Amino acid sequence: MTIEPYTFELTPGQIDDLRQRLDRTRWPDALPDSGWNLGTNLDALQGLCRRWQTDFDFQSFLSRCNRFPQFTTEALGQTIRFLHVRSPEPGARPLLLTHGWPGSVAEFWDVLGPLTDPVAHGLDPAGALHVVAPSLPGYGFSGPTTQPGWDIGRVADAFAELMAALGYDRFFCQGGDWGSMVSSEISRRQPSRVAALHLNLLVAPRLKDVPPTEEEEAQIERSSAFLALESAYQQIQGTKPQTLAYGLTDSPAGLAAWILEKFQSWTGAAGLAEFAPDRLLDNLSVYWFTGTINSSMRLYYESIGPRNTGRRQGRPPSDVPTGFACYPGEPFNSPRRWIEAAYDIVRWSDMPRGGHFPAMQVPEDFVAEVSGFFAQRPL
């Protein structure tokens, strides 16, 4: 496996094209006082798009893209681009850090420094980590996938191959959203190489022949109600992503609307208020300039589409020691007893704040939890 340095670049023409498309946006109507009930709020979207068009500093964005050492390679026939940030601490251990949808490695830009160089950030050196943070195949800097078959299992195999090529025979894994599933899958396929998992989203099978408690029943009802209103994106991305991609690839406002809704609804009561606007635009810009919204959605088709339902439900439990951070704004977690039956939970942390995107929402809390957990785990 050949590994070479990589730098992300933008041309003035690409920036001008984005601004012109935003300027020509044909906005839909909206019912008065509808808020977010019918989908992305028009006022919120227009405000963010105005900022993207007129005030967002693209040179600063480019600097953030290239702030940390970034590399490119090929694994299982697919381009993989990844951040590889080594710690100056002699006792640091390797961590594979994996994002999900509709996120990107931009989620981690504010936590990579403290995770890899804790002393420089006033933290305990015992938590120091060498961090490998790949863009998922088909996402962002890794570029679009060019072949079918890139499901969670294949991603897990590619990332395990990457870690071996970097000389990490044994390592930690952390993730949320798809990153949780990729990390878990690596631990199932190569348990001798994954020393410990840390996850911030866990969906586990329902316990058979075990009646739920009142608290569990209430959680199940809340989750069912949420999914009834919020899971349409999974249905279309898991069945007909190509149709949706024409609009999202052509219109930056459409792309922003599709992604922004998830940052609003998956973060708890605070919604978008938990995010700095430019951090949201960083993530949107990664998708827009790499042209990867279509291939990012294909991961749903490959992993949870009609052809994969049986295989998805048949995944075995993970026996790797696991830490779990339960963020109050995360809408997708299973009840605790289900999780503990499927994973070897050695640490359960009920977090005080944050939701589906904790590295962006509450970076200090995320760093303290992740580094604190792995500091206690042997490699």
Side-chain angles (χ1 to χ4, degrees):
M1 179 183 286
T2 303
I3 296 174
E4 298 178 347
Y6 170 73
T7 301
F8 180 66
E9 298 179 346
L10 280 179
T11 67
Q14 289 175 291
I15 297 170
D16 290 343
D17 174 70
L18 169 62
R19 286 173 168 159
Q20 290 165 14
R21 287 172 184 267
L22 288 167
D23 188 57
R24 295 196 307 269
T25 299
R26 185 182 181 188
W27 297 102
D29 68 306
L31 292 176
D33 303 320
S34 58
W36 292 82
N37 292 331
L38 299 178
T40 301
N41 177 270
L42 179 61
D43 290 339
L45 180 62
Q46 286 180 324
L48 192 71
C49 286
R50 280 195 299 271
R51 186 179 185 91
W52 204 7
Q53 179 187 357
T54 61
D55 297 328
F56 186 62
D57 188 334
F58 288 97
Q59 291 307 309
S60 293
F61 163 71
L62 197 58
S63 296
R64 289 190 290 278
C65 289
N66 296 311
R67 175 185 172 192
F68 298 102
Q70 192 166 200
F71 301 87
T72 185
T73 191
E74 185 175 291
L76 305 182
Q78 168 66 33
T79 297
I80 304 289
R81 294 195 171 108
F82 61 96
L83 299 167
H84 186 196
V85 189
R86 291 188 58 83
S87 173
E89 293 298 324
R93 283 90 56 78
L95 169 66
L96 175 65
L97 182 62
T98 308
H99 68 86
W101 188 92
S104 66
V105 292
E107 290 183 60
F108 303 136
W109 287 346
D110 290 336
V111 302
L112 288 172
L115 287 174
T116 57
D117 193 0
V119 173
H121 294 81
L123 302 173
D124 187 347
L129 298 158
H130 302 304
V131 177
V132 179
S135 292
L136 285 167
Y139 285 65
F141 304 116
S142 285
T145 46
T146 57
Q147 299 173 336
W150 276 96
D151 62 2
I152 286 298
R154 193 170 181 182
V155 174
D157 289 343
F159 283 6
E161 182 177 304
L162 170 64
M163 295 300 282
L166 293 172
Y168 298 134
D169 295 327
R170 192 162 166 83
F171 51 91
F172 301 131
C173 289
Q174 201 287 329
D177 195 85
W178 283 126
S180 170
M181 299 179 192
V182 170
S183 299
S184 297
E185 193 67 14
I186 297 173
S187 76
R188 294 183 185 105
R189 294 179 178 225
Q190 301 199 36
S192 64
R193 296 189 60 201
V194 179
L197 287 172
H198 186 279
L199 308 173
N200 50 268
L201 182 150
L202 268 175
V203 178
R206 185 166 186 155
L207 293 178
K208 295 180 179 179
D209 303 321
V210 179
T213 65
E214 286 188 18
E215 182 179 352
E216 289 171 342
E217 193 63 55
Q219 182 178 353
I220 294 166
E221 290 179 2
R222 286 194 301 271
S223 297
S224 297
F226 181 87
L227 289 174
L229 294 174
E230 300 288 345
S231 63
Y233 80 99
Q234 283 191 10
Q235 297 300 316
I236 191 168
Q237 293 184 177
T239 56
K240 303 290 184 182
Q242 187 73 29
T243 302
L244 179 62
Y246 294 110
L248 303 188
T249 303
D250 185 62
S251 168
L255 175 69
W258 192 248
I259 289 179
L260 195 64
E261 179 194 286
K262 308 312 173 193
F263 279 83
Q264 166 69 20
S265 61
W266 295 355
T267 54
L272 296 183
E274 289 231 351
F275 302 96
D278 283 357
R279 298 295 77 74
L280 294 170
L281 291 174
D282 282 341
N283 186 62
L284 285 171
S285 296
V286 169
Y287 276 94
W288 178 259
F289 288 118
T290 61
T292 54
I293 188 59
N294 188 22
S295 53
S296 77
M297 296 188 298
R298 280 200 295 268
L299 185 56
Y300 286 81
Y301 179 81
E302 298 287 359
S303 299
I304 64 171
R307 299 178 304 167
N308 300 293
T309 301
R311 183 171 60 191
R312 182 175 77 250
Q313 292 176 344
R315 284 179 180 153
S318 172
D319 295 326
V320 170
T322 302
F324 178 59
C326 186
Y327 288 90
E330 173 57 67
F332 296 112
N333 288 326
S334 296
R336 181 167 180 167
R337 283 200 301 171
W338 302 9
I339 291 172
E340 290 180 334
Y343 286 80
D344 179 16
I345 300 295
V346 297
R347 169 168 161 153
W348 182 289
S349 300
D350 288 313
M351 305 301 289
R353 54 186 183 144
H356 193 77
F357 309 95
M360 283 181 69
Q361 288 176 267
V362 286
E364 296 88 356
D365 293 357
F366 179 86
V367 168
E369 168 63 18
V370 171
S371 61
F373 171 71
F374 288 123
Q376 299 173 349
R377 302 306 308 175
L379 191 64

